[in-house]
Structure formats: C-alpha cells, structure tokens
Amino acid sequence: MNPNETIRLLILNDSQAEAERLISMLHNAGRPSRAQHVTSNESLVKLLEDQAWDLMIAHDKTQNLTPQEAIKQIRRLNKDVPMVLLTDEEGSPTIVEGMKLGAVDVVRLDEDQHLLLVIGREIANRNQRQEKRITDRRFRESERRSQSLLDSSRDAIAYVQDGLYLYANESFAELFGYNDKDDIDCMPIMDMVSDEDQATLKEFLKEFTLKGVDAESTKLNFQGLKQDGSSTDIALQVAHATYDDEPCIQFLAKATRKDAATARELEAVKWKDVVTGLNNRTHMLAHTDKLIDNLPDGQSRALLYIDIDDYADAVQGKLGVAGADAALKDLAQLFASKAGEGESLARFGDSSFTLLTGNTTANEAVKRAEALCREIADHIVEVNSKTLQVNASIGVSIINENSVSAETVIEQAIDAMEKAREAEDAQALLYEPPISEEERQERDIVGEVQHALDNDLFRLLFQPIISLRGSDEEYYEVLLRLVNSEGEEVSPNRFLESAAEAGIGVKIDRWVILESIKMLSEHRARGNKTKLIVNLNRASVCDETLVPWLGVAFKAAKLTADSVVFQAQEVDVTNHLNAAKALNNGLTKLGTSLAISNFGCSLNPFNALKHVNASIIKVDGSFTQDIQSKSESPEALTQLLQELHEQEKITIVPFVENASVLSTLWQAGVHFIQGHYLQEPTHSMSYDFNMEG
C-alpha cells in the first residue's frame, strides 16, 4: 500500500464521535482517507452504488445497521469492499465469529497499531484482486482476438492432439473440401490422409511429439483426402503450440479463400438471429465481454435475462412451431420498443432474451424488470388470428468493476430468473450470492434446535453401563437426539456446538435434566436402583446458577441427588478449570458428583484432575476403537487406566463393540463398560442388569 494513497473508507458505527476518532487516527498515522459514516441500510446502498470503496470498518455491536446486514448488501451489489470488525470482546471466539460472518479480520477496539497493519494488508490485497481482474480481462480479450484471427484467417490453421483435430478454421476446412469447420472437430487426422502416406505421417508425428518443445518448426507434405474422396497435395508447416490451455501440434498451410468477397455478408449473418432479427447469443456474449473489459470505474450496467414461462405448452403447444416463431418475433418487437438508446437486446435461447442496459443501479434494474414483466403479461400476441398472453420471469445480474466475464454474468442472471420463477411473490429478482454451505447448515441447525425446544421435538435415549467388577449399581447414560423436519433423529454432534454458540446450550441441558429426572423418578418408583449419567455442555459447565437450580429440581421430583451423575467433557473442563472446579464442589455439596468424559486426549490429562477432583472418569472412545478396529496395542489404554486407578477413580470404557477387548479391560481393572456389544441406546431403561450377575 502506498502510504500517500487516499483510502476510500466506509465507517459503520453508531457513535459519530468514534467514527471521527478513526478518521483522525488514520490522518495522524499518515494514512489520508476519504471516509463516509454509514448510518442506515439506505445510506449504505446509495454509497455503494455511487462510487467504489476500498474498505469498511465496522463495530460489531452496531444497532442502526448490523455488520451482517452490511455484508449482505455488499455481496448483493457485487462490490469488493472488505470489512474489518472492531470489538470490545476478548478472545478468539469473537474473532472466529466475526470472520465466519464475512469480515476479513477482527481487531480489538483502541488497538490502533494493529488496525493500521490490517488496513494496509487489506488495501494491498484489494489492489492485487483489482489488478488480477484487469489482467484476466486483458487475457480474455487477447484470447478472443486470437480466436477471431484464427477463425477469419485466410491461412489454413488447425490444432492436433493425440491424432485428433482439436480445432480447424474455415480455411483449413475448405482446403479439404469441407463446407463447415465443425465437421472436422475431433476427426482423426488419418481420415484425411491417403493410404500410401499414412505410415509416413504417423512416424513423423511420433518423432515430432517425442522431441517436445525442442522440436523446431518443420514442413510436412502428403496426399490429402477431401470430403468427396478425391486427392489433393497438402503442404503444411508443423510446430508445437498451445490451444485452449492444452499442449498440441499446429498445422499451417498458406491458402486463400475463394469467397473472400462474401466474408462481410457472412459476418453479418453470424451475429443475427434469423427468427427475430435481433442480435444472437454469440453477439451478446462477445458484446458483454467487451463491455466488461472497458467498463469505467464507478459505472454499473445490468443484464436482464428474460425467459417466457411454460413456453413449450403455452406458445408452441397452441401455435405450432411456425406460429411460435411468429410469436417470438412479436415479443422481440415489444422488447425492442422498451430498449433505450445504446442498450443491447438479443435472443439468447429458444424462449429467452437478454437486455444489456445502460448505466443503472441494482434497484432501478429490478424495478425495470418488474415493469417489463407486467408489460409482457398485458401484451396480446396475435398470430394467424389466434391470440394469447404469456408471462415471463426475469433475472437481473449487475455488471460493474468486479464482473469477470459474460459467462459468469449470464449464469448469475439465469440463477436469479430460476429463483424468480419458483417464488410466489416475485417475477423478477436480483442475483444474490448464495451463503456458504457451512453457514447455511449452521443456520438450519440452530433453527431446528430452537424449533425442537419450542415444540418438544427432543428425544432421550438410554444406554446401559455395565459393571465388570460385580457392582450392583445400575447406570444408564442419557443420550440426546433431535427429531428434524423429516422425522429423522439427529445426533448431538451435529447441533450442540452450534446451539452453544447461539446461546441456547443451557436451555437444552436443562430440558434434558428435567426430562431425565422425571423419567428416573418414575423408573425408581417401580423398585429399581437405577442411576443416570447426564451430559453437560460447555455453557452449563460455566453456568453459576446450575447447582442452585438442580437443588430445586431434585426437591420438586422427590429424588435424591445421588441418583444422577453429571458428566462434562475433558476439553471443557481443561478450558474452564475454575468454572469446572466450582461446579464439582457445588455438586458434591448437593450430594451428587461430576464425571469427566473423553478423558485422555489432552497433552496432560491428569493436570485437570489436580483441580477438579471428579470421582468417575470415562476414557475417550478412540482408545477402544483403535484396539478393536486397528488391532493396535492396548498399552496406551492400560497405562492410562493404571494411573486413574492409582488415584482411586471409577473408570468407564465406552465403544465396546465386540468380546475380543473384554479380557484386556478385565485385566486392566476397568470398573464399567459401555457399547453396542452390550446394548444399543434405546428409548427406555429396559436392560436386565440381573443377567450380568
């Protein structure tokens, strides 16, 4: 970044004073800026459409316009404006959430030196992206010019790969008596060589290919076969080349077109649609690419993709093929009457048209598309005394300094058109980039979790934990499942983390605890001595109100506290030692206890036990799985268990899937085992513990 370069800056902050402080800070740091304070969604849209901006600095807690809404508008208008978030919060979770939102970085408020470095980096990154876009446009323009020169060249030119023609121009086709160069595409070379010269040509091409780039351009003479079967003398210059990013061999023959006088007429026909008289697809793509390559900064055009609804039945089915062509010509005249000076109208497909507008904004383009939909619906098409009315769906894609190619713009407009056709309340829509699959899934999951809480769609499963040492205690681990909209049970691995980040982790745990206590109370009332192990997520481990709430819950259920053990994951205990220690002490005073699950995965797992004196330890299931499925040595597991037993911990080993591991666990002194070999999780506490005795 050039220190003297003026930064075109947008500031999103509810505080005018803070916005002014940022501008002053940049000025004092020798970073001149031309800044605008964004105060609403409307002002942001106007600023984005009026000119190009280098950067947005936003506070993560703005109320007038949230950073998420601002990023959505930037994407909607296809602008390259990176956002840097400022935050009052500490820690990496805030940074992760901000970058998931779409920010390029998150900086603590008042850490101005850090912010200056981030600004410099992002301005440099944006400049590189802009240079790449310009380079890409120039490269594509060079490719188009090269292709145009090839197509129109009087020299006969062809490109060959693996014995097949990749490309041949009209002159090369004429050299062999073909009327259309497309007839040669993918044709074997030998089909156009006389029998007596085929062996010679094969040997020549083999040697030429083996020499690779070291081979010099050389001449090749052979008897060629024309399309009509007659022979002709062919003299070619042969050289290595690249075509369409593929290494190949170039054939070049000096020749002159016989019909050079008609070339201009043929060119005119090439760009026109025969039925409607409008420009055709080829012209539209070339014209749009040219416009993108030469669009001045700050200008934006729009491409309207107009597609007739239900064309096959509504038009062709009623009027026939010839009548449908007449209807399209009629509609083309309507579209032409609505096109302004300097705008380009084309027939793109069987039932689709494109309109390339003049300088416009996104909102103006959508309003124009909506008006055009209404005009199409009101228009009466008359063909051979038959009348009909049609509807159309229109997709709008914005063309500005960030547009890359005509193909991309068209794909975006078609995508918007298809969404408009599916929508119930819109016939015209602006293309908006889709959210990432990860973001979509996370939103869907959080929505489903909240829906499950509101509509009692969570389910509890119970898996027995069996004693290997003859204990008469009966344990079940309580497992949670979410019933989604398809009626499928979803594992908590897919939703608990997202739920915790969305702030509803505590609600889920409390629902599980209340339901577990209720079901356990009913189960123990029938004379069972059953105890439950209930899992707590990270939010509950850190929740200071949990223990007092548990005391009330146990009293209301008339259940002793020691009938439930609460289990937290090792990673949550390690990351929140003080909170876990307070929780363990509180549970002990209440008369219950804390268990730690997934134990043995941290670098120093026993460090946590120095602070959190949990009585029950469930080792991580990966130890058992490695022994059973990978035939690994049980040494790591037995050593871990030995240290736990030396500290007088009650141990549980999960994921016991077959009998082969039981002898190892017995010899290691394991207290309890759990797994599908014993019983899969079920909806009731129905395991017969007596048969183990």
Side-chain angles (χ1 to χ4, degrees), residues 162-192:
D162 297 331
L164 301 176
Y165 285 105
L166 284 178
Y167 163 86
N169 66 0
E170 295 290 353
S171 295
F172 196 90
E174 290 175 6
L175 191 63
F176 287 87
Y178 289 85
N179 295 322
D180 190 343
K181 66 183 181 69
D182 292 339
D183 293 339
I184 299 177
D185 285 352
C186 297
M187 179 183 289
I189 301 172
M190 295 306 162
D191 287 0
M192 297 163 63

Side-chain angles (χ1 to χ4, degrees), residues 377-408:
D378 293 339
H379 180 71
I380 299 174
V381 178
E382 183 172 352
V383 177
N384 298 329
S385 300
K386 291 183 179 180
T387 60
L388 79 159
Q389 289 179 278
V390 298
N391 292 305
S393 301
I394 301 179
V396 181
S397 179
I398 295 300
I399 300 173
N400 56 23
E401 69 275 6
N402 295 320
S403 299
V404 176
S405 66
E407 288 83 357
T408 303

